[in-house]
Amino acid sequence: MTKIDPSRGIGLCVALCFPLMTWAQNPPTSAPAAPAPAWRSQPAAGDAAVNGALSLGQAHALAYAQNPELAASRLEVEVMAGASQQAQSRPNPEIAYLLEDTQRQTRTTTLQLNQPIEMGGKRAARMLAAERGHDIATEELAAKRLAIRASVTSAYYDALTAQERVRLAEQAMELAQRASRAAGQRVKAGKVAPIEETKAHVAQAGVQVELSQARSEWVGAQARLAALLGEPRGLSWRLDAQLDALPAVPSMADLERSLDNAPALRRARLEIDRRQALTELEKARRIPDITVSLGAKRSEELGRNQAILGLSVPLPIFDTNRGNLLEALKREEKAREELSASQLQVSAEARETRARLASLRQEAQLFAEQVLPGAQSAYDAAAKGFELGKFSFLEALDAQRTLLQARSQYLRTLADTHRARADLDRLLGLDESTETPRASATVRRTGE
């Protein structure tokens, strides 16, 4: 039976084995509570978070209510509503007063009312063009909402991943410090050479650098998420979501059905309708308007009033609006070509994003089912071998570092998977009210 060195059992075994094995067998699926920044000790009024936790759905709701870009898009819809209202207006009448001669006995006074009348359906064409402009602004608001939703989803999971990386780095730092103290004690006891303590300090310094980088990324991720949520004072909630609840990959049939309803294509079709309405408006402008006049004329010399009836029509000799009509026709043709280009682009991007989503999802499952269990098994063997004197301290430390790096890469893959699904939802125009149900597949945890 192999004799176990007591300093090894008490030192490195406690420092490395127990904390890391406990963490590896029960890996966290959501980020820990984030300490509130110094500049924000109290949540803002109207916060959507409940009990200090902010879910992804609540983050979406906050962004819909507070994001300034979305507010600007809503105002644009109201702007176009005003334009539609103005398009219904008819030409104002005109009142004219004319005085001929300054002598009272021979003076003639004329009071006349002129009313322009639009011909050729100008008003109807103008109203239709304004309505199409309002429809486009409404569609752009919906597209902006989808873009904000995708950005919030990406930023949310980035922040969740950054918080988890900080947690892992802090655990690694604690283990490295314990390992350094254990190595120092063994050097003092004459069990190992002083070089072992130096190597342990170098490893600790490397972990310290990683911890500093993780905290910096965490602060940046929080700032980006807070900006999207319209929270200038930053976040004071912990993020409540499961990173390992992977989104489903839509089938190619579902993808094809959703492509026709993509926001970019809806916007392009509405632009064609608006250009057609503008073309009809330019055609109507080629027909001259008439002005009807009605009034009275008082002749002091004759001593009586005279009625005035008039009709004026401009002669389209020099300006036939031919250039404006040609411009409108070409812009309509351009809009059709842009629709064709958008169809190709959206189709290519959607297929590429779907392929990336499928690849990332497969990679995440590979990490959960093979990489992490393998790294855990290698670490368990190295820690046990070190305890029995078969492996060196650096071999056990290297196995620990490999396990931590695998877990960190797994977190990045999970965040990339959620980001890819958010991009696909944005391209296809899917949100809470329109998206097809997802069969959310939860990746098996390491150790289960």
Side-chain angles (χ1 to χ4, degrees):
M1 183 174 180
T2 304
K3 183 177 180 181
I4 300 176
D5 191 321
S7 63
R8 288 179 177 173
I10 297 175
L12 268 296
C13 184
V14 174
L16 295 177
C17 300
F18 180 73
L20 187 56
M21 289 175 64
T22 301
W23 163 79
Q25 292 175 359
N26 298 279
T29 58
S30 60
W39 63 86
R40 181 172 185 190
S41 58
Q42 297 294 332
D47 286 345
V50 179
N51 297 325
L54 182 68
S55 68
L56 180 59
Q58 292 166 340
H60 288 157
L62 274 176
Y64 295 155
Q66 300 180 174
N67 186 274
E69 293 184 19
L70 205 55
S73 296
R74 292 192 191 98
L75 289 175
E76 182 63 24
V77 173
E78 296 178 9
V79 167
M80 298 310 298
S84 297
Q85 181 180 353
Q86 181 61 33
Q88 302 175 18
S89 302
R90 300 179 184 273
N92 290 322
E94 176 186 283
I95 187 170
Y97 175 78
L98 178 64
L99 178 66
E100 299 180 45
D101 202 343
T102 57
Q103 298 183 6
R104 184 178 181 84
Q105 296 79 7
T106 58
R107 180 166 36 186
T108 301
T109 304
T110 303
L111 184 63
Q112 183 174 316
L113 182 67
N114 303 321
Q115 176 61 59
I117 299 177
E118 292 181 308
M119 305 298 292
K122 293 184 180 66
R123 180 170 177 269
R126 185 173 63 247
M127 290 170 58
L128 182 60
E131 289 174 2
R132 295 292 83 81
H134 182 268
D135 292 342
I136 289 177
T138 303
E139 183 59 41
E140 288 178 345
L141 173 60
K144 176 61 71 173
R145 178 186 172 94
L146 289 168
I148 293 297
R149 180 178 183 270
S151 298
V152 168
T153 300
S154 298
Y156 185 92
Y157 282 110
D158 285 346
L160 197 62
T161 303
Q163 288 184 7
E164 187 62 25
R165 286 194 63 219
V166 169
R167 184 174 185 270
L168 296 181
E170 288 175 345
Q171 289 181 345
M173 187 63 193
E174 181 180 356
L175 296 177
Q177 290 173 347
R178 292 180 182 178
S180 295
R181 288 195 297 267
Q185 292 174 0
R186 296 185 67 196
V187 168
K188 291 180 180 179
K191 301 294 183 179
V192 295
I195 190 63
E196 295 293 331
E197 183 180 7
T198 302
K199 292 178 180 179
H201 285 307
V202 171
Q204 179 181 343
V207 174
Q208 179 65 49
V209 171
E210 292 181 359
L211 176 58
S212 177
Q213 292 175 347
R215 286 175 175 169
S216 177
E217 291 179 6
W218 182 27
V219 172
Q222 280 187 312
R224 289 190 294 272
L225 179 58
L228 288 169
L229 300 185
E231 292 285 336
R233 293 175 294 176
L235 300 179
S236 62
W237 315 296
R238 63 180 177 86
L239 304 184
D240 183 18
Q242 284 190 318
L243 271 172
D244 59 358
L246 295 179
V249 180
S251 66
M252 288 302 299
D254 291 337
L255 185 70
E256 293 293 338
R257 283 193 296 268
S258 300
L259 279 175
D260 288 337
N261 199 41
L265 302 187
R266 294 201 304 264
R267 167 68 172 79
R269 294 189 187 100
L270 286 174
E271 180 64 21
I272 292 177
D273 293 341
R274 188 175 79 92
R275 287 300 171 184
Q276 288 177 336
L278 290 174
T279 299
E280 294 301 320
L281 178 60
E282 295 302 332
K283 289 180 180 179
R285 284 175 176 170
R286 300 187 67 185
I287 301 175
D289 298 335
I290 64 174
T291 301
V292 178
S293 301
L294 177 64
K297 181 177 181 181
R298 173 67 181 180
S299 175
E300 298 294 340
E301 187 175 4
L302 297 178
R304 66 187 183 89
N305 296 329
Q306 297 173 302
I308 296 178
L309 296 175
L311 183 68
S312 63
V313 180
L315 300 177
I317 298 176
F318 302 111
D319 183 7
T320 60
N321 205 43
R322 188 173 299 174
N324 288 336
L325 179 58
L326 178 61
E327 178 187 359
L329 289 170
K330 293 303 179 182
R331 289 192 181 277
E332 181 181 341
E333 184 178 351
K334 176 186 175 184
R336 296 183 188 279
E337 294 299 330
E338 288 176 343
L339 173 60
S340 300
S342 296
Q343 288 174 331
L344 294 174
Q345 181 178 359
V346 170
S347 178
E349 288 185 7
R351 286 178 170 82
E352 179 183 357
T353 305
R354 180 191 176 277
R356 186 170 78 253
L357 173 61
S359 176
L360 288 169
R361 194 176 189 279
Q362 184 178 10
E363 182 180 344
Q365 290 176 328
L366 184 65
F367 264 100
E369 296 171 2
Q370 298 184 28
V371 177
L372 289 179
Q376 177 66 47
S377 177
Y379 171 74
D380 291 342
K384 185 65 175 178
F386 176 77
E387 180 182 350
L388 298 176
K390 296 180 180 180
F391 296 110
S392 67
F393 163 72
L394 287 182
E395 288 175 316
L397 189 63
D398 182 66
Q400 168 201 323
R401 188 176 186 85
T402 300
L403 180 58
L404 291 173
Q405 289 177 344
R407 181 61 181 171
S408 180
Q409 182 61 36
Y410 175 53
L411 293 175
R412 290 193 181 95
T413 303
L414 290 175
D416 290 341
T417 304
H418 289 286
R419 188 183 300 110
R421 180 64 208 225
D423 290 340
L424 189 60
D425 288 348
R426 174 184 56 81
L427 286 171
L428 300 180
L430 302 178
D431 58 15
E432 295 91 343
S433 59
T434 61
E435 66 177 320
T436 54
R438 300 183 193 172
S440 180
T442 302
V443 177
R444 180 173 59 84
R445 296 184 186 181
T446 306
E448 292 184 346

Coordinates of all heavy atoms in Angstrom, one line a residue, residues 1-5 384 387-390:
M1 N 0.8 -1.2 0.0 CA 0.0 0.0 0.0 C 0.9 1.2 0.0 O 1.8 1.4 0.8 CB -0.9 0.0 1.3 CG -1.8 1.2 1.3 SD -3.0 1.1 2.7 CE -3.9 2.6 2.5
T2 N 0.6 2.2 -0.9 CA 1.4 3.4 -1.0 C 1.2 4.3 0.2 O 0.0 4.6 0.6 CB 1.0 4.1 -2.3 OG1 1.2 3.2 -3.4 CG2 1.9 5.3 -2.5
K3 N 2.3 4.8 0.7 CA 2.2 5.8 1.8 C 1.9 7.2 1.3 O 2.6 7.6 0.4 CB 3.4 5.7 2.6 CG 3.4 6.6 3.9 CD 4.6 6.4 4.7 CE 4.6 7.3 5.9 NZ 5.8 7.2 6.7
I4 N 0.9 7.9 1.8 CA 0.6 9.2 1.4 C 1.3 10.3 2.3 O 1.3 10.2 3.5 CB -0.9 9.5 1.5 CG1 -1.7 8.4 0.6 CG2 -1.3 10.9 1.1 CD1 -3.2 8.5 0.7
D5 N 1.9 11.2 1.6 CA 2.6 12.3 2.3 C 1.6 13.2 3.0 O 0.7 13.7 2.3 CB 3.5 13.1 1.3 CG 4.4 14.0 2.0 OD1 4.0 14.6 3.1 OD2 5.6 14.2 1.6
K384 N -5.6 12.9 -8.3 CA -5.4 11.6 -7.6 C -4.0 11.2 -7.7 O -3.4 10.7 -6.7 CB -6.4 10.6 -8.1 CG -6.4 9.3 -7.3 CD -6.9 9.5 -5.9 CE -7.0 8.2 -5.2 NZ -7.4 8.4 -3.8
E387 N -1.8 13.2 -5.5 CA -2.0 12.8 -4.1 C -1.2 11.6 -3.8 O -0.6 11.4 -2.7 CB -3.5 12.6 -3.9 CG -3.8 12.2 -2.4 CD -5.3 12.0 -2.2 OE1 -6.0 12.3 -3.2 OE2 -5.6 11.5 -1.2
L388 N -1.1 10.7 -4.8 CA -0.3 9.4 -4.5 C 1.1 9.5 -4.9 O 1.8 8.5 -4.8 CB -1.0 8.3 -5.4 CG -2.5 8.0 -5.0 CD1 -3.0 6.9 -6.0 CD2 -2.6 7.5 -3.6
G389 N 1.5 10.7 -5.3 CA 3.0 10.9 -5.7 C 3.4 10.4 -7.0 O 4.5 10.3 -7.3
K390 N 2.4 10.2 -7.9 CA 2.7 9.7 -9.3 C 2.8 10.9 -10.3 O 3.4 10.7 -11.4 CB 1.6 8.8 -9.8 CG 1.5 7.5 -8.9 CD 0.4 6.6 -9.5 CE 0.3 5.3 -8.7 NZ -0.7 4.4 -9.2

